[in-house]
Every structure is written in C-alpha cells, then in structure tokens.
Amino acid sequence: MSIPFPVHIPFVETLGLQLHSCGDGQAELRIDVIEAHSNSWHVAHGGLLMTLLDVAMAQAARVAGQDDPGDRLGMATIEMKTSFMRPAQGALRALGKVLHHTRGTAFCEASVLNGAGELCAHATGTFKYLRPRADAAAAG
C-alpha cells in the first residue's frame, strides 16, 4: 500500500511512482513499468530508473534532515552518479538511504531491484536541504 508523498511533485505523479515507506533516513518507491516507460528495447528507459533513484534518495534525505516531523524541507540534487547493471522490466522497487548528512547536505545511495530482487541500477548522490525562509513561512 502506498503512502502520500510529503510534497506535490507533478513529474513524479505523472510517471506513477508510489512511495511505500519513508523514515529513519530510508525510503522505498515502487512502480510497474508500462509501455510509456520503455525505451526502443522494450525495457525501462534509463531516465525512469534515474528518476526512481533520485526520488528515493531525496525522500530518504528529506526525512533524515527533519528536526520536526512537520518540517517542509525542499531538496535539490547537487550531483548523482548512476550505474546500470541489467535491463529493468515489470514491478520495480527503489530503495534509498542516507549514508551521512549535515544540516545542509545529505550523502545518499539507492538501488533499483526487479521483481526477482536482482539489482538493475545503483546510484549515489549528494543533496542540498532547502529550508523555507523565515519571512516566507510567516507569510504562508
């Protein structure tokens, strides 16, 4: 059963990514690959896998950086390195986790696994925490 994303991200919703768990510096996303997600080889497009990895890491970092469960932290990807191991099809899971974080930055990794639990892609990434400005929070 999926849970709502903490912020509205139209691109993520359009792709159909589902958040299944998020807490303690970890996140799990899932998606069933459909034809619209495919490349010319009829497997998941690398851009879909990179988005899964990016969002899984960002969600893990978001919860790791919260001082308060009500914090509405923004995340910006600073850099990301991705490796592809095998073609991805069917039901996919992306598992993201924070390796280390400071007040301003999170260092993360994520993996995409197929239905058999085989590693399809792996990434590491660095993310910047975007905290709401005090004047913006007061106005809104």
Side-chain angles (χ1 to χ4, degrees):
M1 176 173 220
S2 64
I3 59 176
F5 281 91
V7 295
H8 172 65
I9 308 168
F11 180 64
V12 167
E13 292 173 10
T14 298
L15 288 175
L17 303 186
Q18 298 177 343
L19 182 62
H20 276 259
S21 65
C22 193
D24 296 323
Q26 298 186 42
E28 179 180 343
L29 278 66
R30 295 184 189 174
I31 192 166
D32 289 323
V33 177
I34 59 173
E35 185 178 359
H37 300 142
S38 300
N39 62 20
S40 61
W41 295 94
H42 306 289
V43 297
H45 189 282
L48 176 69
L49 298 179
M50 291 183 75
T51 299
L52 274 167
L53 293 161
D54 180 59
V55 175
M57 290 187 289
Q59 290 303 318
R62 184 185 311 276
V63 295
Q66 289 178 329
D67 296 326
D68 175 311
D71 283 351
R72 293 195 46 89
L73 296 173
M75 301 303 303
T77 308
I78 296 173
E79 64 83 28
M80 182 172 156
K81 189 240 187 249
T82 305
S83 298
F84 300 97
M85 283 70 173
R86 67 174 34 86
Q89 303 175 259
L92 303 179
R93 291 186 315 137
L95 306 173
K97 75 176 190 176
V98 175
L99 302 173
H100 176 75
H101 74 95
T102 66
R103 181 157 172 76
T105 310
F107 303 90
C108 305
E109 71 174 359
S111 298
V112 172
L113 308 172
N114 64 19
E118 298 170 315
L119 182 63
C120 298
H122 182 266
T124 57
T126 308
F127 296 81
K128 179 178 177 62
Y129 289 113
L130 304 173
R131 300 185 188 281
R133 294 187 338 238
D135 59 338

